[in-house]
Amino acid sequence: MANDITQALPQQNQETSVRLGWGGVLALDRRIIDLALREQFLEALGGFGAPAPISLEADLDEGGRISVSLEGLVLGAPQVGFENATRFSQDMMLRMNIIAGEYRRVVHVPGKPKRLVESFTITEAMGYRVEAPLAVRAERPVSSRYTSLVLDLATADRFSTNLGPNDYVNTLLGRRLQEAISYMRAYQRTYSLGRFSMDDYYPLSPEQFLVRTMPAPWGQDEGSPRHGDGAMLVFMKLGIDLHAGGQPDPGIDFPYPIPEGAIGLPGTLIVVPDIGDLGAGPVQDVLKTFSLPNGYEFVINDPQPGVDLVLRGVWRESAQAVAVEPGFATVVSGQTIPFTAQGATGPVQWSANNLRRPAASGSFNGASYSPRAVTNFAEDQQMVLVTATFPEAGGEGRRNALVMESARAVLAAPRVATWVQGHEPIALRASSTDNGTLEWSLVGAVRLSAGEQRIQSLDDELGELEDLGDGRAIFTPYPPPKETPDLRIQRIRCTDRKSGESAECAVVVIRWVASLHPVPFHVPQRQSVQPTQFTVESVRPVTWTVYGEGKFVGDVYTPPDAPQLPIAVVAADDGNDRTGYAIVEFSEGRKASAGLMSWTDLSTFELKALSAPKCYANGWQQIEVEVVVAASDDENGQPIEISDADLATLKFLEVGTNKELAFLAPYEEALDAASEDKWAVNNTPNRINRQVPMRDESSERLGEIRRRRFYIHSRKPGKITLYAAMQNTDTGQWVLSEKKGEQGRIELQGLDLPSFTSESYSFKRTRVAGDESPSDGDEFAYVDNSTDYWLLEHVISEGRVTKFAHLGIKAADIKSSVRWSSHLDDDHFASYTGFSFQSADRTVNEGLLFDGLFYRMAKHRSHTVPKLLPDKGPGAGQLMLSLHRVDDFKFRSVEQDLPYPPALEKELLLELLDVEGNFHPLTFAYGVTGDEAKEGLADRDKLKLFLR
């Protein structure tokens, strides 16, 4: 097999088509696929649609004595590889780096309390990842106008990761990750590698698809920097094709379609060789309905004619596209990073939003972003969404970037570890953004006390440290003296010798037999900025004590504002020689907790209908609902802003049954009639008009207001009452809006559908061109050539004139109908139709279109396909059918034409959606009335409308 198409297709010598009967083949290179995934990931972060942070636990041994707990794992932008793909499969390898999260290893001896072994922050630099073989598929939901090339993470049957210490653990973690991902909402776990608009009916537009993957010949070498290279092949039945092609056989000689030396964002389009001779439009129209994120367009730069027309080119951003660079960035407190909005033609406004702690967001000076000081970091690493806002046609545009900001240039792991005699030494590792030589050192040991002197320095270190180089070290604690039941901490520092930056670890050396189990037994950094309530199972009263910094009031622990050590230890004592302890972690260098606290209650949690609280139960019309939330002030009376991470958890439930409403998948515009759900939620509005809103009766709102809008669909007439729920993603606490009274509930109604008859439609004919009739008042007498425009103006719905929002034509149905006066070979009197539709919002306005097969018939008969006459097209929300009567369209033409007349001698089956979301399945056929037939009119002279 030839390595690529440039070797295999000196096209003039090629005898066999590689299209396999399809009208076109689009080859998408790995580089453009990864870019499309990156753009979607960034867009989702700004629209509450990114994969939800994952928290899970898994046992590290079969006895369950040692477990790992992963909290707030954030998966980065997906990337694909084809190293494991077979030719003409649908498989690719999907990889996602783990860019944030907390790792906690725990020992739990049966009958004993849990003990934290180690805890550290996961960063992308650590190299942890999740991967799974995944099949790409072409998918078009019934209620969508798009066919998308979809990767759904929930369809993967085997996730793997390198988070664990061995294959056994990684397999367990992979299963837990797969389970967590499967529970995510469809829009959080689904990515599109590109999409085709299916309601733009250009004659060259694709109508059916077959998706296959193909590894690059040079991508199988594991030692190569291009290991995993490959392409996704989209086989397309075009409008000019009579039939779809066949399934590719893995054994066929199909050359790899993208040259090995191609640079930039290469691609290849392979189409039928006569495409330019049909008059159906330029070859670029094959991709006119195809779109990639951020407006990338395919630019042809090397056409090669032959048995196939091979069009090599590159993907380039459109003139209107705007890209924020860098799209992903890392920055350390005290540093500044500049951003650009490439392609923006007007003033750009920059903003930054900490996705978990809005009050901890940094600031912009012009286009340069600076994190807050390390004293205001809630945890070692924070995620910040950077947004550029700029003017664009029709309004305001937004593009995002993600910043991972660190409190310091050096990150050490574990951040906290505990050690008891008999356990293995502690492995330490660190990394630095400054790339200097890292050096480990012991910087003192302390004893924690509950007395006046909480922290007491010790003269001797608590163990030996061996610096292994390359940021790694081993600390081996000494066995603690038998007479010391106290808590001792060894501080260990890692310093970048180039920059002088450093980070500390704390090892707690324990000689304390615990028997009580405080909950929580570990408080991570992000939760330690605010008070924590502890509980413990005990039949006796328990006394709570803190060893180190902070204080107790009852069972509530309050952290210090400016901790000196990275940890404190909370102890419980029942006065009967039964004790237990918990580890509390602090952010190193934090000097204040004000503004960093997470909310514990909501002062406002309202549901409000912005449209009327009712919709037709047709699955399309939406009810726009706004959820308004505000957090109660913290214990110091300071306001707390709710984070984007918390807003992303909002969901709706039915009062009484507590059944959760499902969210629609990406690009679904309606609730499918076949769905088991009768009510559903959409994150985005569709093109259907909503019911007229009512008067605003909002109550007084307190706190830092956050708003999020949703769009509710119904397929069931009748009323439903909903409430909302939102989770604090730091604490896991759920809050229900129905607890806030009437403002926290909303009653919605699904309306009965209106009924329609053929008489409900205004369908009028206008003669716009043709021969002149010698008979006054008779436009058909002695007229062999004429053009009539038949206008479907509107439908009368419950007494209202109602326009149309969408025209649907199934891929198997024709777009032009042809009728001859007879089936005699030499009969050249014929009628044929075209159509033109303009949506009510004017976003669709296509001119006069004909079925792609009709262009082939016209070519065989040397017939010129007509254009739309100036100023004669339909208005907004109207459909126009053109009826052309001609005397030069012979029934029997060349032999190649034989299959086409039967294909188009059919009725037109069109599906219209009006602006209120009601469905109109219409049939348009040739026909005249009995009186018209008596006057000499033939069936092919006029059109009739039928309601199916």
Side-chain angles (χ1 to χ4, degrees):
M1 184 188 77
N3 266 11
D4 62 57
I5 209 165
T6 57
Q7 297 177 20
L9 298 184
Q11 282 280 296
Q12 292 78 2
N13 300 324
Q14 176 91 5
E15 295 182 358
T16 304
S17 168
V18 299
R19 292 180 291 101
L20 308 177
W22 296 85
V25 183
L26 174 64
L28 292 169
D29 182 76
R30 174 191 192 181
R31 284 165 281 188
I32 190 65
I33 293 173
D34 283 348
L35 185 61
L37 291 170
R38 180 191 108 145
E39 294 294 324
Q40 283 177 84
F41 176 80
L42 292 173
E43 183 180 358
L45 279 176
F48 308 108
I54 297 172
S55 296
L56 55 87
E57 293 186 3
D59 293 334
L60 299 185
D61 61 356
E62 294 184 3
R65 294 167 55 93
I66 305 176
S67 64
V68 61
S69 172
L70 304 171
E71 295 186 359
L73 284 189
V74 179
L75 304 179
Q79 298 175 308
V80 300
F82 296 86
E83 62 272 22
N84 295 327
T86 57
R87 297 178 79 240
F88 303 124
S89 70
Q90 293 176 257
D91 299 331
M92 57 179 66
M93 183 64 74
L94 186 78
R95 294 186 179 87
M96 295 170 287
N97 291 339
I98 299 174
I99 61 176
E102 294 293 316
Y103 182 101
R104 179 173 68 185
R105 187 155 56 97
V106 176
V107 168
H108 190 193
V109 178
K112 300 290 185 181
K114 293 180 178 180
R115 176 174 67 85
L116 175 72
V117 177
E118 65 173 351
S119 170
F120 62 87
T121 295
I122 297 173
T123 67
E124 188 170 15
M126 292 178 175
Y128 294 123
R129 66 182 183 276
V130 175
E131 60 184 26
L134 200 60
V136 60
R137 64 184 190 271
E139 182 178 275
R140 183 188 182 186
V142 174
S143 59
S144 176
R145 44 187 170 136
Y146 299 105
T147 292
S148 297
L149 309 174
V150 171
L151 286 177
D152 185 350
L153 304 186
T155 62
D157 60 2
R158 185 179 71 257
F159 276 89
S160 61
T161 181
N162 61 346
L163 269 169
N166 54 54
D167 291 342
Y168 171 78
V169 175
N170 284 330
T171 299
L172 289 178
L173 290 175
R175 291 173 184 169
R176 299 290 189 275
L177 286 164
Q178 180 174 350
E179 182 180 8
I181 289 171
S182 69
Y183 285 129
M184 291 181 186
R185 296 167 183 169
Y187 64 82
Q188 294 176 315
R189 64 171 198 255
T190 304
Y191 289 89
S192 170
L193 308 184
R195 62 181 186 177
F196 293 86
S197 174
M198 303 304 292
D199 62 352
D200 293 327
Y201 302 105
Y202 304 106
L204 298 183
S205 293
E207 298 176 340
Q208 296 180 39
F209 306 89
L210 177 72
V211 182
R212 291 293 182 264
T213 54
M214 188 175 186
W218 57 86
Q220 307 304 297
D221 181 2
E222 293 187 8
S224 168
R226 299 186 64 179
H227 179 236
D229 269 9
M232 179 173 62
L233 307 180
V234 186
F235 294 85
M236 303 174 289
K237 175 190 176 296
L238 308 182
I240 56 174
D241 300 329
L242 187 61
H243 303 293
Q247 294 274 354
D249 185 333
I252 67 171
D253 186 17
F254 192 106
Y256 189 73
I258 298 173
E260 182 175 0
I263 60 174
L265 299 171
T268 298
L269 177 65
I270 307 170
V271 294
V272 291
D274 67 343
I275 194 169
D277 302 329
L278 301 177
V283 67
Q284 290 89 339
D285 277 5
V286 171
L287 298 181
K288 191 171 185 177
T289 62
F290 182 66
S291 61
L292 289 166
N294 207 11
Y296 281 83
E297 298 174 339
F298 188 62
V299 179
I300 298 169
N301 56 26
D302 187 13
Q304 295 185 356
V307 66
D308 291 321
L309 177 57
V310 179
L311 305 160
R312 294 204 306 268
V314 294
W315 295 94
R316 293 178 182 163
E317 289 180 319
S318 66
Q320 297 77 32
V322 175
V324 172
E325 292 295 341
F328 294 88
T330 58
V331 66
V332 177
S333 177
Q335 298 179 350
T336 297
I337 182 168
F339 285 89
T340 60
Q342 299 173 3
T345 57
V348 178
Q349 294 182 334
W350 295 94
S351 62
N353 179 28
N354 186 306
L355 293 175
R356 295 182 73 114
R357 288 284 202 283
S361 303
S363 59
F364 267 95
N365 181 11
S368 294
Y369 173 74
S370 301
R372 290 165 66 99
V374 67
T375 55
N376 296 110
F377 268 61
E379 47 192 328
D380 285 348
Q381 180 178 254
Q382 302 181 144
M383 293 178 60
V384 174
L385 183 71
V386 166
T387 301
T389 306
F390 47 88
E392 66 177 9
E396 196 174 69
R398 291 174 178 266
R399 289 291 181 272
N400 301 320
L402 179 63
V403 175
M404 305 301 297
E405 58 182 27
S406 301
R408 56 196 59 80
V410 178
L411 287 176
R415 189 171 51 237
V416 172
T418 66
W419 186 86
V420 296
Q421 189 170 352
H423 280 226
E424 296 179 352
I426 296 168
L428 305 170
R429 56 267 189 209
S431 62
S432 174
T433 59
D434 294 324
N435 297 317
T437 301
L438 296 176
E439 184 177 71
W440 290 91
S441 60
L442 300 177
V443 290
V446 299
R447 175 190 292 120
L448 297 184
S449 168
E452 291 186 6
Q453 189 177 355
R454 300 288 187 89
I455 303 173
Q456 303 170 15
S457 297
L458 299 175
D459 294 333
D460 299 322
E461 308 291 3
L462 303 184
E464 294 182 353
L465 179 69
E466 180 184 2
D467 194 331
L468 304 177
D470 197 27
R472 295 186 174 271
I474 293 288
F475 176 67
T476 305
Y478 301 135
K482 294 182 179 180
E483 68 277 5
T484 57
D486 54 8
L487 292 163
R488 301 187 177 202
I489 297 177
Q490 177 67 60
R491 299 171 63 184
I492 307 174
R493 181 176 297 159
C494 185
T495 303
D496 187 319
R497 296 177 60 182
K498 176 181 177 181
S499 64
E501 295 288 332
S502 65
E504 282 195 14
C505 301
V507 177
V508 184
V509 178
I510 298 173
R511 185 177 177 80
W512 186 345
V513 179
S515 52
L516 294 179
H517 183 187
V519 178
F521 70 96
H522 171 234
V523 180
Q525 279 186 342
R526 68 175 184 274
Q527 294 178 13
S528 69
V529 296
Q530 60 197 67
T532 300
Q533 184 176 32
F534 284 87
T535 61
V536 67
E537 290 186 8
S538 175
V539 295
R540 299 172 60 87
V542 171
T543 300
W544 293 95
T545 306
V546 58
Y547 287 78
E549 301 167 276
K551 63 181 180 180
F552 262 102
V553 177
D555 58 359
V556 176
Y557 169 75
T558 300
D561 278 342
Q564 300 176 45
L565 289 179
I567 69 164
V569 178
V570 166
D573 188 338
D574 70 355
N576 192 30
D577 294 331
R578 298 181 73 235
T579 60
Y581 61 88
I583 303 294
V584 180
E585 289 192 57
F586 305 125
S587 176
E588 182 182 346
R590 177 169 60 79
K591 298 300 183 185
S593 59
L596 299 182
M597 293 187 181
S598 182
W599 56 272
T600 57
D601 194 14
L602 299 178
S603 60
T604 299
F605 199 170
E606 295 181 4
L607 279 64
K608 172 189 172 186
L610 298 184
S611 61
K614 57 186 178 181
C615 64
Y616 282 118
N618 54 33
W620 282 89
Q621 194 168 46
Q622 298 173 322
I623 302 171
E624 186 175 9
V625 173
E626 183 178 70
V627 179
V628 183
V629 291
S632 301
D633 293 346
D634 67 18
E635 60 180 9
N636 300 316
Q638 297 298 313
I640 301 177
E641 187 176 349
I642 291 170
S643 71
D644 281 10
D646 297 339
L647 285 176
T649 68
L650 277 167
K651 60 183 179 181
F652 293 90
L653 302 100
E654 183 179 2
V655 171
T657 67
N658 296 324
K659 179 183 178 182
E660 183 178 343
L661 267 63
F663 277 82
L664 298 185
Y667 309 126
E668 278 193 290
E669 297 179 279
L671 176 58
D672 184 10
S675 172
E676 294 180 358
D677 299 305
K678 300 309 175 187
W679 291 84
V681 188
N682 205 332
N683 279 322
T684 55
N686 61 22
R687 299 172 294 170
I688 302 304
N689 294 346
R690 293 180 281 280
Q691 299 276 341
V692 178
M694 300 189 304
R695 183 168 55 92
D696 185 0
E697 296 180 351
S698 300
S699 63
E700 181 182 0
R701 293 160 180 163
L702 304 174
E704 296 285 336
I705 294 293
R706 295 295 307 271
R707 306 171 188 269
R708 186 178 171 193
R709 293 185 181 182
F710 299 89
Y711 304 87
I712 312 294
H713 303 254
S714 174
R715 279 284 181 183
K716 181 180 180 180
K719 295 183 178 181
I720 188 174
T721 303
L722 303 176
Y723 67 96
M726 186 177 73
Q727 185 183 37
N728 183 320
T729 52
D730 275 340
T731 65
Q733 172 193 3
W734 283 95
V735 177
L736 309 180
S737 66
E738 67 172 347
K739 304 297 184 183
K740 301 297 181 181
E742 289 300 317
Q743 297 293 335
R745 294 186 292 271
I746 189 169
E747 184 180 82
L748 307 178
Q749 183 179 8
L751 302 175
D752 290 318
L753 303 185
S755 59
F756 303 98
T757 66
S758 296
E759 288 69 34
S760 303
Y761 302 90
S762 174
F763 189 49
K764 298 179 178 178
R765 180 185 68 86
T766 302
R767 175 62 53 85
V768 294
D771 302 336
E772 186 175 348
S773 172
S775 177
D776 292 339
D778 186 347
E779 295 179 316
F780 294 93
Y782 303 103
V783 174
D784 295 329
N785 296 278
S786 66
T787 301
D788 292 344
Y789 283 176
W790 289 79
L791 187 65
L792 182 61
E793 295 181 299
H794 56 255
V795 62
I796 301 298
S797 177
E798 297 182 333
R800 301 182 307 275
V801 171
T802 305
K803 300 290 186 177
F804 299 101
H806 172 75
L807 169 65
I809 307 175
K810 294 180 179 178
D813 293 332
I814 61 173
K815 304 174 187 67
S816 294
S817 179
V818 183
R819 177 72 64 86
W820 282 268
S821 60
S822 73
H823 279 182
L824 298 175
D825 286 356
D826 291 333
D827 187 354
H828 51 82
F829 293 100
S831 298
Y832 60 85
T833 65
F835 72 95
S836 180
F837 176 72
Q838 184 177 170
S839 60
D841 62 3
R842 302 180 189 274
T843 57
V844 177
N845 189 11
E846 300 166 331
L848 188 59
L849 300 178
F850 296 84
D851 195 295
L853 298 181
F854 182 76
Y855 284 88
R856 291 201 174 276
M857 294 176 66
K859 177 190 175 185
H860 295 155
R861 293 163 176 79
S862 301
H863 183 80
T864 301
V865 179
K867 306 291 185 182
L868 181 66
L869 296 176
D871 302 321
K872 298 293 185 179
Q878 296 179 338
L879 169 69
M880 188 197 77
L881 300 180
S882 62
L883 174 56
H884 307 268
R885 298 166 63 251
V886 295
D887 62 359
D888 63 348
F889 208 78
K890 191 175 179 182
F891 177 70
R892 186 68 67 216
S893 182
V894 295
E895 184 176 350
Q896 303 96 299
D897 188 68
L898 290 178
Y900 297 115
L904 294 186
E905 281 193 305
K906 300 176 182 177
E907 298 175 336
L908 294 172
L909 306 179
L910 307 184
E911 298 172 344
L912 285 141
L913 195 70
D914 68 35
V915 295
E916 294 177 331
N918 292 309
F919 185 62
H920 303 268
L922 303 179
T923 298
F924 296 90
Y926 294 103
V928 295
T929 64
D931 290 341
E932 290 172 333
K934 292 178 181 179
E935 294 174 2
L937 271 67
D939 280 349
R940 70 179 184 88
D941 290 339
K942 287 189 174 183
L943 296 175
K944 299 178 74 173
L945 177 154
F946 302 94
L947 180 63
R948 298 199 301 277

